């Protein structure tokens, strides 16, 4: 396998350790402990795991973790009342409502109700607008993590051609904005793009954020490219004798690793960076709310 595998677990662990030091400094110098509130609606098993892991990582970084579990039948009004209560709570610097939410609740209304200063998911239109304008913003965690991996791997990204497959507000669009800020030449591809394979083959950095298991094939990849696989897909593993299911990305990892220069694995690539960047956003939000300069990590 010629490609070097990018170790997201290790890069995330190092970032979390630096955040822990930043939190300790903030407590020592300003008597301020960042607080992250996570709200989970319903009992989706994957969401329960994410929320539990976020709570553990928050406490491990020395921050205060607030967790709220609401019934799957909770009304939108009651969830909004909880969000507004957290908006006004000075001990809470970051608010995250775990998505997806049940159908009686509008995800967009929740996103717009969380104060932009506490929007550690970076999804509020105010933060999206600030990011698009190249201004200081709380930026979505998975895109931030993806770009950190590319930067730590390649160093200066200036002038490189980045192709992003997927244009969601949560992943594709913010990845494009962040890579533009790194002075990449950015092309966004999506379900209506013509000759997707040919376009991908022009990428120095190829980011896959589609949600289709192993869609990106080896002959779509330029030799030596840096491939960042954001996809997380659970597929049947019984025919491989590896238990019932296994996780794969949007990239055909084994074949693409023969061509690429660097590649993120799934799991263990982008995934671990998401929680680390959530903690970073919470630390940044706490500083901003207290009028303190951002801590340099
Ligand atoms: P989404 O469904 O909102 O968006 C998918 C995008 O892919 C769309 O913009 C669509 O245009 C594009 N697309 C769909 N079919 C396509 C095709 N055939 N060719 C080209 N483009 C196509 O998904 P999302 O929320 O952006 O998530 C994308 C993937 O990333 C999913 O697998 C998701 O599980 C994963 N994800 C991972 C993390 C993490 O922490 N690593 C976080 C968020 C999402």
């Amino acid at each position: 396998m010629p490609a070097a595998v990018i170790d997201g677990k290790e890069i995330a662990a190092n970032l979390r350790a630096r955040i822990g030091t930043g939190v300790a400094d903030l407590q020592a110098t300003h008597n301020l402990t960042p607080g992250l509130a996570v709200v989970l609606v319903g009992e989706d098993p994957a969401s329960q795991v994410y929320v539990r892991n976020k709570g553990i990582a928050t406490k491990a970084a020395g921050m205060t973790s607030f967790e709220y579990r609401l019934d799957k039948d909770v009304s939108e009004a009651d969830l909004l009342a909880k969000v507004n209560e957290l908006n006004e709570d000075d001990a809470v610097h970051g608010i995250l409502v775990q998505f997806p939410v049940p159908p009686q609740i509008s995800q967009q209304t929740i996103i717009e109700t969380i104060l932009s200063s506490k929007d550690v998911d970076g999804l509020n239109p105010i933060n999206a607008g600030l990011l698009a304008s190249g201004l200081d913003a709380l930026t979505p965690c998975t895109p931030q993590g993806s770009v950190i991996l590319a930067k730590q791997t390649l160093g200066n990204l200036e002038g490189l051609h980045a192709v992003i497959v997927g244009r969601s507000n949560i992943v594709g669009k913010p990845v494009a904005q962040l890579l533009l800020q790194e002075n990449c030449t950015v092309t966004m591809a999506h379900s209506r793009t013509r000759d997707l394979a040919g376009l991908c083959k022009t990428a120095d950095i190829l980011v896959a954020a589609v949600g289709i298991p192993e869609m990106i094939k080896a002959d779509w990849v330029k030799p030596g490219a840096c491939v960042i696989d954001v996809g997380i897909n659970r597929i049947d593993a019984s025919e491989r004798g590896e238990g019932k299911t296994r996780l794969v990305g949007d990239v055909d990892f084994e074949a693409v690793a023969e061509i690429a220069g660097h590649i993120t694995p799934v799991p263990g690539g982008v995934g671990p960076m998401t929680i680390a960047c959530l903690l970073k956003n919470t630390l940044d939000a706490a500083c901003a709310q207290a009028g303190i300069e951002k801590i340099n990590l």
Side-chain angles (χ1 to χ4, degrees), residues 142 166-168 171 190-191 196 209-212 230-233 270 274:
T142 302
R167 58 171 162 183
S168 70
V171 188
H190 46 79
S191 53
L196 182 60
V210 184
I212 299 180
V230 181
I232 302 179
N233 310 288
V270 173
T274 299

Side-chain angles (χ1 to χ4, degrees), residues 8 141-143 145-146 149 228-231 264-275:
C141 304
T142 302
S146 303
L149 292 181
I228 307 286
D229 190 354
V230 181
T264 61
V266 176
V270 173
M273 295 300 290
T274 299
I275 290 186

Side-chain angles (χ1 to χ4, degrees), residues 72-147:
K72 69 174 184 345
D73 296 322
V74 71
S75 68
E76 183 177 276
D78 283 351
L79 176 56
L80 291 178
K82 172 51 79 184
V83 169
N84 279 318
E85 182 190 310
L86 298 172
N87 277 342
E88 298 197 349
D89 186 339
D90 289 342
V92 171
H93 303 96
I95 303 170
L96 183 150
V97 175
Q98 183 69 44
F99 293 141
V101 282
Q104 74 273 17
I105 295 164
S106 152
Q107 187 163 306
Q108 193 56 28
T109 305
I110 303 301
I111 287 172
E112 290 173 16
T113 303
I114 295 172
L115 275 182
S116 61
S117 57
K118 297 192 176 187
D119 169 38
V120 283
D121 244 351
L123 299 176
N124 186 293
I126 293 178
N127 279 314
L130 289 169
L131 174 62
S133 305
L135 298 170
D136 200 23
L138 287 168
T139 55
C141 304
T142 302
Q144 215 185 117
S146 303
V147 174

